[in-house]
Amino acid sequence: MRDAALHPRVGRCAVLRKVARPSTSKKTPSLPEFILLMSVMLLVPVQPASAHPQCLDFEPPFKPSWHLEFCTQYEQFGCCDQKTDNMIAERYWDIIDQLEATGHELCADMLKEIMCQECSPYAAHLYDAEDPYTPVRELPGLCFGYCSEFHGKCRHVVKYLTGNQLLWDTSGRDVSTFCSMVDLSDQDYCYPNVLKSPDLNSNLGQVAEDPRGCLQVCLTEVANNLRNPVLMLHSGDGTHRMFVAEQVGFVWVYLHDGSRLEQPFLDMSGEVMTTPWLGDERGFLGMAFHPKYRDNGRFFIYYSIQVNSELEKVRVSEMKVSAHDMNVADLYSERAILEIEEPAANHNGGQLLFGLDGYLYIFTGDGGKAGDPFGKYGNAQNKSALLGKVLRIDVDVSDTRGKQYRIPADNPFLHEQDARPEVYAYGVRNMWRCSVDRGDPVSRYGRGRIFCGDVGQNRYEEIDVIVKGGNYGWRAKEGFECYDVKMCHSSTLNDILPVFAYSHHVGKSVTGGYVYRGCESPNLNGLYIFGDFMSGRIMALEEDKTTGSWKERSVCMGETKTCSFPGLINHHHKFIISFAEDEAGELYFLATAYPSTMSPSGTIFKFMDPSRRAPPGKCKQKPLSVKVRGKKIPFVPRERTVLDTNEKPTRPPPRKFKLTTKPTTTAASATTTTTSAAVKPKWKSLDKKARKTNTLQPWKKNKVPNKQPAKAQTKKNTLRQKSKAQSKKTTAKKPFKGKVKPKTNQTSTADFKSNTLKKPNSLKDNTIHTRKIPPRKAAQKPIGHKKNSIKLKESAKQYHAFMNKTQTNPAPSLFQ
């Protein structure tokens, strides 16, 4: 009963952590019982602390874009950006002023340490706020030894850190009672133990790994109810729309807020050749937007057709967007560019993409069946055939001989006798999903490389990097091994080996992916992430830039605790059909539970690294407006999240007081404060007239307030000098000047606050403001010049009455 009274919320983490409590009724065990108990204790391994960095906004920590001037110990990795750090500093100095005014011991060091725990990468654990259901604490969890010292020297500070009357009263009682109130059940997470645990700090900020070294990632669901979604791509026009194609021939538009338009962008279901057979490879297979789609509205499609109910072909066509609706294609604009006869129903290829050179790349299969049995050397090694190739054409200029395209002047086999001039590379079996590396965001390293997954025959799947004129070995080789022994040992083969290959013990049908170059998960930068259709495995390759070799990194779904963030899931459907990249570079994959063209079980998942996120505001996007003529269908998630938003909370709802410290407020002025866990404080001044005239003004862009230090008492000089900071110039984000065609108006950021394809950050300001930590004034001195801090002018009684009256709203869920 005593424990329940002192720890009213300790039961909420019973699943994740448990601590043994002494029983009031003790029973001495017998010798056999004692021996059995000790044997069990020796057999059970000691489990290390399970690291789960998390901030008070229920998101992973981050590395601040700029250094922190106050809570400097967390400037490399934590939960505070520079704006939040400055606000904590202001609140700190406000409390110091109060202590000066009342003549109490300042307790400067301990006060700073406690207040800066909002910036700790384990802030959510310190404040018992691991999920949105948790009633947050007013003080961070303090270990008993540290708490005892704090209680002995600084218990008078508690009333300035919280408005909780219970904590006020308890701080005046004995040390055991107070420290039991602010303690944590898990001693690894209380302060300062959380700084000393090697299990919690050894790999802080890196991608979490399981004991086998598998990289743990989490997912969010962004779309569902799709029939074999074969591709998702953006148009590159600044609208951040995503176009999702189903194998049956429909292309759907998904807006930046996650909703889908009721009318399809394109309906080719009447022309596309496909069947409901399980695993049928024919259908709508590829699509690519012209690099200048924003200006010319051109895009290209690749699909299977049947002529006269007998002959099967693949067709590459050009189409245009409607002149009247930017979300609908003009069906009458189709212009066939290339048609290739298919001798079998499988191995149809299907990838279309534009390289950095502006040319269209077309990836065809070898014609099907098994072992490429067509002709003496097969289609893939026959440069006079278009099957089993990477083709490159210029679709911006027509040929003089009537073709709808021109051959680029530097195509490698342009002047070779009997070779088709369209051929750019050959010796491929059935490349399924290729991508262009957009390059490192800073150095641009790797920009323009084309990666492909080439499906194998009986033994190996492979990943290739496409180069001009390259021979990728099929059917002479499969992966690194020989398939056709005679061709394999030919001196003229001169093939290019894959950068990676895996056997059919791992998977039997590779699905090519992307090199991650997004913003939201910095740890994933440079990893080539791909999967296998049959086994459902997700894999990654990491490049050694000095040697150019690639090393496999296993990828697995994060454990329950690793993915314990709102809206995240740690499972997916087995059959991985395709990977995708949005306009911001974030990575997705498309999977289904039943690989039939008629089964609406296709779902789109987005990757998320739970170990580290980008700094708040860094990844903020400003999409151009999209004029919608028809209905929008809101996204309704189906997959079960790790934190089930529908389950009954196991703890009381959050109370309406601030998560951490509050600054004092006077009749002469008011101040703003940082928010924790998306709680927005509402400050009230005691004097409306004073509040109206003396409210603290927000920081202005590109300006640093010119603050002059105030005179201080001699005995406080040392404390003042320690906390002075150097000012920095403010950096402001340049306004977006993009244009879109057809004409639309730019959309305000507010139009996209409910976005599900991109998670919102809790701190909305995208501009980092830099300022000095305000110098402090001497207590009880008249104001001789401007000061940024707030001076206490009311009695202690008025202050406490105001603090008890002030309330904040509870933290809303980030995913509604």
Side-chain angles (χ1 to χ4, degrees):
M1 292 177 62
R2 171 184 175 276
D3 187 68
L6 296 177
H7 298 267
R9 299 182 294 274
V10 76
R12 64 178 192 79
C13 292
V15 176
L16 299 181
R17 57 194 192 207
K18 180 181 286 189
V19 62
R21 298 294 182 185
S23 174
T24 55
S25 60
K26 297 182 179 180
K27 179 183 177 181
T28 303
S30 63
L31 182 60
E33 291 175 338
F34 178 76
I35 296 174
L36 178 62
L37 178 63
M38 293 302 297
S39 301
V40 172
M41 291 178 65
L42 292 173
L43 289 174
V44 176
V46 177
Q47 295 293 333
S50 180
H52 182 235
Q54 189 178 21
C55 300
L56 287 172
D57 59 359
F58 316 120
E59 299 260 4
F62 54 89
K63 181 178 181 180
S65 299
W66 305 96
H67 78 281
L68 305 184
E69 300 184 12
F70 189 69
C71 300
T72 55
Q73 66 269 43
Y74 298 119
E75 69 177 359
Q76 293 301 317
F77 190 68
C79 293
C80 290
D81 59 3
Q82 194 177 42
K83 179 181 177 181
T84 306
D85 179 65
N86 285 346
M87 288 182 174
I88 293 175
E90 289 192 16
R91 288 154 49 199
Y92 168 83
W93 284 116
D94 289 333
I95 294 176
I96 292 294
D97 281 345
Q98 303 298 321
L99 297 173
E100 287 179 345
T102 56
H104 283 111
E105 176 65 32
L106 298 184
C107 296
D109 292 339
M110 277 193 160
L111 178 62
K112 180 179 179 181
E113 288 173 352
I114 290 175
M115 294 181 68
C116 283
Q117 294 317 302
E118 290 185 33
C119 299
S120 168
Y122 291 104
H125 298 273
L126 285 161
Y127 286 88
D128 267 355
E130 289 93 339
D131 61 65
Y133 301 115
T134 307
V136 294
R137 303 164 62 107
E138 293 77 44
L139 293 176
L142 304 179
C143 302
F144 189 84
Y146 184 89
C147 176
S148 299
E149 183 182 358
F150 174 77
H151 184 269
K153 297 179 180 179
C154 307
R155 59 178 174 268
H156 57 276
V157 176
V158 173
K159 63 182 179 181
Y160 301 106
L161 290 172
T162 175
N164 188 336
Q165 186 66 43
L166 179 60
L167 281 174
W168 289 7
D169 297 339
T170 309
S171 65
R173 299 175 64 183
D174 61 282
V175 62
S176 178
T177 302
F178 175 73
C179 291
S180 295
M181 179 68 101
V182 299
D183 196 8
L184 288 177
S185 61
D186 191 337
Q187 291 297 296
D188 287 308
Y189 282 108
C190 66
Y191 183 82
N193 286 0
V194 69
L195 302 178
K196 304 174 183 178
S197 172
D199 296 311
L200 299 182
N201 295 279
S202 58
N203 295 311
L204 195 60
Q206 301 178 19
V207 180
E209 297 184 14
D210 68 5
R212 301 168 298 170
C214 187
L215 303 179
Q216 296 191 51
V217 297
C218 305
L219 307 171
T220 56
E221 179 189 5
V222 298
N224 52 40
N225 200 35
L226 294 161
R227 295 164 295 184
N228 264 22
V230 292
L231 63 88
M232 182 174 83
L233 68 163
H234 64 85
S235 54
D237 59 359
T239 62
H240 289 258
R241 292 174 296 169
M242 297 302 295
F243 297 78
V244 179
E246 296 176 315
Q247 191 174 349
V248 291
F250 286 92
V251 179
W252 303 97
V253 177
Y254 285 81
L255 301 180
H256 192 55
D257 63 2
S259 62
R260 175 176 68 84
L261 299 189
E262 184 179 45
Q263 182 180 5
F265 175 78
L266 180 64
D267 178 4
M268 296 293 292
S269 59
E271 298 290 330
V272 169
M273 166 63 182
T274 190
T275 70
W277 301 343
L278 203 65
D280 190 353
E281 298 178 19
R282 298 167 296 182
F284 190 96
L285 302 176
M287 183 174 174
F289 288 94
H290 192 279
K292 297 181 179 179
Y293 174 79
R294 185 171 173 177
D295 300 318
N296 58 33
R298 300 168 65 197
F299 65 94
F300 299 81
I301 57 176
Y302 183 125
Y303 61 98
S304 304
I305 61 172
Q306 189 173 41
V307 181
N308 298 325
S309 301
E310 293 182 2
L311 184 63
E312 293 184 12
K313 295 183 178 181
V314 290
R315 174 186 290 169
V316 178
S317 295
E318 176 187 339
M319 298 187 74
K320 291 185 177 181
V321 68
S322 170
H324 308 289
D325 191 340
M326 65 186 302
N327 296 308
V328 176
D330 182 358
L331 291 176
Y332 298 100
S333 66
E334 181 176 9
R335 179 171 64 99
I337 292 179
L338 184 67
E339 289 186 356
I340 306 173
E341 185 176 334
E342 286 283 354
N346 59 339
H347 299 185
N348 298 285
Q351 181 70 51
L352 294 179
L353 58 81
F354 279 91
L356 294 185
D357 51 17
Y359 298 135
L360 178 66
Y361 290 74
I362 305 169
F363 298 79
T364 63
D366 66 2
K369 296 186 178 180
D372 193 6
F374 308 102
K376 183 177 180 180
Y377 302 107
N379 283 323
Q381 291 296 321
N382 180 7
K383 286 179 280 189
S384 65
L386 295 180
L387 294 173
K389 305 295 188 300
V390 180
L391 311 178
R392 185 176 72 156
I393 60 176
D394 183 353
V395 293
D396 290 331
V397 182
S398 297
D399 188 84
T400 55
R401 291 172 292 181
K403 291 184 178 180
Q404 303 298 324
Y405 57 88
R406 189 184 67 178
I407 305 299
D410 61 339
N411 265 18
F413 307 110
L414 180 61
H415 303 293
E416 183 174 320
Q417 188 177 5
D418 297 330
R420 290 294 297 262
E422 295 93 342
V423 175
Y424 183 79
Y426 65 105
V428 303
R429 184 175 180 272
N430 189 39
M431 287 188 166
W432 182 246
R433 293 305 170 241
C434 305
S435 63
V436 179
D437 184 1
R438 60 172 63 190
D440 183 86
V442 178
S443 67
R444 313 306 291 170
Y445 176 83
R447 188 169 183 263
R449 295 181 298 185
I450 299 177
F451 290 82
C452 289
D454 197 4
V455 181
Q457 179 68 51
N458 299 322
R459 299 178 63 191
Y460 296 101
E461 308 294 310
E462 65 183 67
I463 300 295
D464 297 302
V465 177
I466 304 303
V467 297
K468 183 169 68 174
N471 177 6
Y472 290 89
W474 178 249
R475 74 183 183 191
K477 286 185 177 180
E478 180 185 9
F480 294 103
E481 305 295 330
C482 289
Y483 180 81
D484 185 313
V485 177
K486 184 176 180 180
M487 293 177 63
C488 181
H489 291 95
S490 172
S491 59
T492 60
L493 183 61
N494 193 27
D495 63 313
I496 297 175
L497 295 177
V499 297
F500 178 74
Y502 62 92
S503 74
H504 280 193
H505 294 92
V506 177
K508 297 182 179 181
S509 181
V510 67
T511 300
Y514 284 79
V515 178
Y516 179 81
R517 301 298 188 184
C519 172
E520 295 177 13
S521 298
N523 284 334
L524 302 182
N525 182 40
L527 289 179
Y528 177 74
I529 300 177
F530 64 103
D532 189 274
F533 174 80
M534 294 300 294
S535 68
R537 290 189 59 170
I538 296 175
M539 295 165 273
L541 299 178
E542 185 175 21
E543 183 182 13
D544 184 341
K545 295 180 182 179
T546 58
T547 63
S549 61
W550 293 79
K551 175 185 176 183
E552 180 187 7
R553 298 297 306 272
S554 298
V555 177
C556 52
M557 293 296 100
E559 298 173 353
T560 298
K561 188 167 185 177
T562 304
C563 296
S564 291
F565 293 95
L568 295 191
I569 57 179
N570 60 353
H571 63 275
H572 60 84
H573 300 319
K574 177 181 178 180
F575 301 99
I576 301 174
I577 302 174
S578 186
F579 285 77
E581 185 183 56
D582 66 16
E583 200 162 348
E586 300 306 322
L587 189 59
Y588 306 75
F589 69 95
L590 295 67
T592 183
Y594 190 76
S596 167
T597 58
M598 301 303 172
S599 174
S601 58
T603 305
I604 301 177
F605 301 93
K606 179 181 179 180
F607 286 98
M608 187 268 185
D609 174 21
S611 303
R612 177 188 171 194
R613 60 169 157 156
K618 181 178 180 180
C619 305
K620 191 176 181 179
Q621 303 294 329
K622 293 185 177 180
L624 297 180
S625 62
V626 177
K627 188 174 182 180
V628 178
R629 296 181 180 273
K631 291 182 179 180
K632 295 196 299 183
I633 301 175
F635 169 62
V636 179
R638 290 182 174 181
E639 300 300 318
R640 183 181 178 87
T641 58
V642 173
L643 296 178
D644 192 347
T645 56
N646 296 319
E647 71 181 4
K648 184 179 179 181
T650 57
R651 54 203 67 84
R655 286 173 285 175
K656 295 185 178 181
F657 51 74
K658 185 145 186 347
L659 303 185
T660 54
T661 61
K662 295 180 180 180
T664 58
T665 307
T666 70
S669 61
T671 186
T672 58
T673 181
T674 187
T675 61
S676 295
V679 177
K680 186 176 181 180
K682 299 179 181 178
W683 299 107
K684 300 177 182 178
S685 175
L686 297 175
D687 188 332
K688 293 183 179 179
K689 182 177 179 180
R691 183 176 70 227
K692 183 176 181 181
T693 56
N694 295 318
T695 301
L696 184 67
Q697 296 299 318
W699 299 331
K700 296 181 179 180
K701 294 182 179 180
N702 298 322
K703 291 185 180 181
V704 178
N706 185 16
K707 304 286 182 183
Q708 297 295 332
K711 294 182 179 180
Q713 298 175 10
T714 305
K715 66 178 181 179
K716 303 295 187 296
N717 283 343
T718 303
L719 180 63
R720 301 285 191 271
Q721 293 172 359
K722 284 183 180 180
S723 299
K724 288 183 180 179
Q726 299 298 325
S727 61
K728 288 181 178 289
K729 292 184 179 180
T730 305
T731 57
K733 191 173 181 179
K734 295 182 180 180
F736 189 85
K737 297 182 179 180
K739 297 181 180 179
V740 65
K741 188 175 182 179
K743 293 183 179 179
T744 57
N745 294 324
Q746 288 192 357
T747 304
S748 65
T749 306
D751 291 336
F752 296 93
K753 284 185 178 179
S754 60
N755 169 32
T756 56
L757 287 179
K758 172 180 169 297
K759 285 193 204 173
N761 292 317
S762 61
L763 299 177
K764 299 295 183 182
D765 191 0
N766 194 34
T767 305
I768 306 285
H769 299 282
T770 311
R771 58 177 300 177
K772 289 184 179 181
I773 298 175
R776 313 312 298 170
K777 57 189 174 299
Q780 306 300 329
K781 295 290 183 180
I783 299 177
H785 53 272
K786 292 184 179 180
K787 291 179 173 57
N788 192 39
S789 60
I790 299 174
K791 198 169 187 178
L792 183 65
K793 292 186 178 181
E794 302 295 331
S795 65
K797 183 177 180 180
Q798 289 174 312
Y799 167 73
H800 293 316
F802 167 67
M803 293 299 286
N804 289 332
K805 183 180 178 182
T806 304
Q807 294 179 338
T808 60
N809 295 324
S813 172
L814 295 181
F815 296 84
Q816 295 180 351

